């Protein structure tokens, strides 16, 4: 095992797994920390946790358990995966987990790099951009769980982690991998604990991937991991990943679209798709009142839809624009999110019993609820539908899934997931 990833949610896990496969590293994705006696014959393993928005102490405990399992497999390259928009609160969970992993590995320095230029996430002078906007001016400013009101990765990291943080700037990176290594060594000698890596292009990620490949712990989004995978591929005979992509190709059969994300892009994707397919909006009041009973009702509606072969799968969506979301939060508080996820979990379990085989899911929390309800232990990684969103096929059950982070994919994403017409 050459590369072990600890991911803080399910969509982030499939995101990075897809990029690893696409860049030459055969990869298996596992759900939660596996049993000690499980062995995996794969060059890379991604362990999917639900640790993004849980209490920091729980995120640390789960991440350390994942690290322990990876170490037992002989893995000596550990990657902490978080979202390309650095989704976190003032107290964590990215910083506390990074602190704990560094301590467990006996290391005193790691890097911070959520950049993913292909999806518009770039870092310049230590500031994170979403497209042309600073993170704090993007749609993430009003995220219901992890609102991002600061764009400085240095400030964000120093607020939630121990030790000081500084930046490896674009000017240094463009001098090449050795210049980056020297900057990291100098920072370590000066007692720095975290180094934010600027990155505005895949070329930068290639340089960075080579420079950090031998660090015990690296952290970031899927972009840096892709650069590291390319570095490993260039260092020896490139493996053939066609078999891995084939193993994860989507199954035939009936499908459903389940959308829980309230991101700007998902709002646009839902709007575009509901004009083409049977669609039902989820009522948060009914979710809060009885998520199990309401989930059964919604699943029944999906199964009743008479969709022709290769037709567009029916869609259930709790996606709301910022004004609607504010009203929901004012009426129900945090109970609404938990109830909606519980409802979607019930929906997924009943749809699986009813013969649904293809699940397209938008939103990290929603994806986690669906995957856990299906009782899946892991995935083979298939072809990418959009950058960061591959098809995945359950290792032990007859389900194919596309697990989409909120802002990923084109407006036509849900349509792109349907069988060819």
């Amino acid at each position: 095992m050459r590369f072990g990833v600890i991911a803080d949610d399910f969509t982030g896990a499939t995101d990075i797994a897809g990029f690893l496969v696409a860049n030459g590293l055969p990869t298996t994705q596992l759900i939660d920390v596996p049993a000690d006696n499980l062995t995996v014959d794969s060059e890379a393993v991604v362990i999917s946790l639900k640790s993004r928005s849980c209490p920091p102490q729980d995120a640390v405990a789960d991440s350390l358990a994942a690290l322990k399992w990876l170490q037992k497999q002989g893995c000596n390259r550990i990657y902490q995966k978080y979202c390309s928009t650095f989704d976190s609160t003032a107290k964590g969970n990215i910083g506390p987990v990074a602190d704990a992993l560094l301590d467990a590995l006996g290391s005193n320095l790691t890097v911070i790099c959520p950049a993913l230029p292909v999806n518009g996430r770039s870092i310049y002078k230590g500031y994170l951009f979403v497209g042309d906007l600073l993170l704090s001016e993007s749609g993430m400013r009003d995220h219901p769980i992890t609102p991002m009101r600061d764009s400085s990765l240095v400030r964000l990291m120093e607020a939630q982690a121990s030790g000081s943080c500084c930046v490896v700037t674009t000017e240094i990176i463009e001098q090449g991998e050795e210049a980056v290594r020297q900057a990291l060594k100098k920072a370590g000698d000066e007692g720095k604990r975290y180094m934010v890596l600027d990155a505005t292009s895949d070329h930068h990620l290639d340089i960075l991937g080579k420079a950090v490949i031998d660090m015990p712990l690296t952290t970031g989004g899927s972009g840096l991991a892709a650069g590291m995978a390319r570095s490993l591929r260039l260092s020896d005979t490139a493996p053939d990943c066609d078999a891995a992509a084939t193993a994860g190709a989507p199954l035939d059969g009936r499908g459903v679209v389940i959308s829980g994300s309230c991101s700007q892009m998902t709002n646009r994707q839902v709007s575009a798709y509901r004009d083409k397919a049977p669609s039902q909006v989820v009522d948060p009041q009914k979710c809060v009142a009885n998520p199990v009973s309401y989930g059964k009702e919604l699943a029944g509606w999906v199964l009743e839809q008479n969709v022709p072969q290769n037709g567009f799968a029916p869609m259930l969506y709790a996606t709301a624009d910022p004004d609607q979301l504010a009203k929901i939060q004012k009426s129900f508080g945090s109970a609404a999110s938990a109830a909606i996820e519980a409802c979607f979990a019930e929906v997924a379990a009943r749809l699986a019993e009813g013969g649904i085989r293809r699940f397209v899911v938008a939103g990290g929390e929603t994806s986690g609820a669906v995957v856990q309800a299906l009782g899946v232990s892991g995935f083979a990684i298939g072809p990418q539908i959009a950058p960061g969103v591959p098809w995945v096929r359950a290792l032990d059950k007859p389900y194919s899934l596309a697990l989409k982070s909120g802002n990923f994919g084109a407006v036509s994403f849900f349509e792109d997931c349907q069988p060819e017409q």
Side-chain angles (χ1 to χ4, degrees):
M1 191 180 298
R2 309 172 73 193
F3 203 81
V5 179
I6 302 168
D8 67 359
D9 82 342
F10 289 79
T11 56
T14 56
D15 165 19
I16 194 170
F19 274 104
L20 292 176
V21 169
N23 287 281
L25 206 58
T27 303
T28 298
Q29 180 181 344
L30 301 176
I31 308 304
D32 294 325
V33 180
D36 285 344
N37 61 356
L38 177 69
T39 57
V40 177
D41 183 20
S42 186
E43 292 193 32
V45 166
V46 179
I47 297 178
S48 316
L49 303 177
K50 282 196 74 175
S51 56
R52 178 169 297 173
S53 55
C54 65
Q57 63 270 23
D58 294 343
V60 167
D62 290 347
S63 300
L64 289 176
L67 171 64
K68 183 178 179 181
W69 184 87
L70 290 168
Q71 289 176 314
K72 285 184 176 180
Q73 312 309 307
C75 184
N76 59 8
R77 286 186 188 91
I78 304 300
Y79 195 93
Q80 178 192 352
K81 165 65 170 67
Y82 41 79
C83 188
S84 60
T85 46
F86 209 73
D87 301 20
S88 56
T89 67
K91 295 183 178 180
N93 291 345
I94 296 171
V97 169
D99 280 343
L101 293 175
L102 276 174
D103 291 343
L105 289 165
S107 184
N108 60 6
L109 178 71
T110 190
V111 296
I112 307 297
C113 188
L116 187 58
V118 71
N119 277 350
R121 278 50 163 188
S122 59
I123 304 169
Y124 184 70
K125 301 293 185 183
Y127 287 83
L128 182 55
F129 288 80
V130 177
D132 294 331
L133 299 175
L134 285 164
L135 173 67
S136 57
E137 298 174 5
S138 73
M140 284 301 300
R141 177 179 177 80
D142 297 313
H143 191 284
I145 299 174
T146 53
M148 301 306 295
R149 305 287 171 82
D150 194 349
S151 306
S152 168
L153 292 171
V154 171
R155 283 196 297 265
L156 288 168
M157 200 63 189
E158 288 187 339
Q160 57 181 272
S162 62
S164 60
C165 182
C166 58
V167 181
V168 179
T169 63
T170 302
E171 290 80 4
I172 294 172
I173 294 165
E174 289 179 346
Q175 295 174 37
E177 62 191 90
E178 186 57 34
V180 175
R181 289 195 190 99
Q182 289 302 317
L184 292 173
K185 182 180 184 305
K186 183 175 184 289
D189 291 343
E190 293 174 350
K192 302 295 183 183
R193 190 167 171 89
Y194 295 103
M195 293 294 286
V196 174
L197 304 178
D198 275 3
T200 61
S201 69
D202 283 348
H203 174 61
H204 289 158
L205 295 175
D206 282 336
I207 294 170
L208 294 170
K210 294 174 185 176
V212 305
I213 193 63
D214 292 324
M215 295 184 76
L217 175 69
T218 45
T219 88
S222 53
L224 179 61
M228 294 173 72
R230 290 192 289 271
S231 176
L232 288 172
R233 183 186 66 195
L234 292 172
S235 66
D236 54 20
T237 302
D240 181 3
C241 288
D242 289 346
T246 300
L251 297 166
D252 294 329
R254 296 183 66 188
V256 66
V257 174
I258 297 175
S259 180
S261 168
C262 291
S263 71
Q264 290 179 343
M265 179 53 77
T266 304
N267 267 282
R268 294 171 64 192
Q269 290 161 341
V270 165
S271 179
Y273 190 71
R274 69 186 174 206
D275 292 334
K276 303 174 185 292
S279 302
Q280 177 88 290
V281 64
V282 173
D283 185 336
Q285 184 171 352
K286 289 185 177 181
C287 286
V288 171
N290 194 328
V292 173
S293 175
Y294 188 43
K296 178 180 178 181
E297 176 187 328
L298 291 172
W301 176 84
V302 171
L303 295 172
E304 289 170 0
Q305 301 309 302
N306 185 21
V307 177
Q309 185 175 6
N310 291 342
F312 291 142
M315 175 175 66
L316 299 173
Y317 65 98
T319 300
D321 64 31
D323 289 341
Q324 293 172 313
L325 185 60
K327 291 177 182 178
I328 292 169
Q329 291 175 325
K330 183 177 180 180
S331 298
F332 305 106
S334 61
S337 295
I340 289 170
E341 304 315 333
C343 179
F344 278 144
E346 182 69 18
V347 166
R350 291 191 175 272
L351 291 181
E353 293 174 358
I356 298 295
R357 294 293 174 258
R358 296 162 58 107
F359 293 81
V360 177
V361 190
E365 297 298 320
T366 305
S367 294
V370 168
V371 168
Q372 290 180 328
L374 294 177
V376 174
S377 65
F379 296 120
I381 309 302
Q384 292 206 28
I385 308 158
V389 195
W391 277 109
V392 298
R393 187 185 296 188
L395 298 176
D396 48 0
K397 296 191 177 183
Y399 309 133
S400 283
L401 299 95
L403 306 175
K404 186 191 87 72
S405 294
N407 280 307
F408 282 16
V411 173
S412 60
F413 178 81
F414 294 139
E415 182 178 348
D416 297 340
C417 292
Q418 306 309 312
E420 293 186 7
Q421 304 301 300

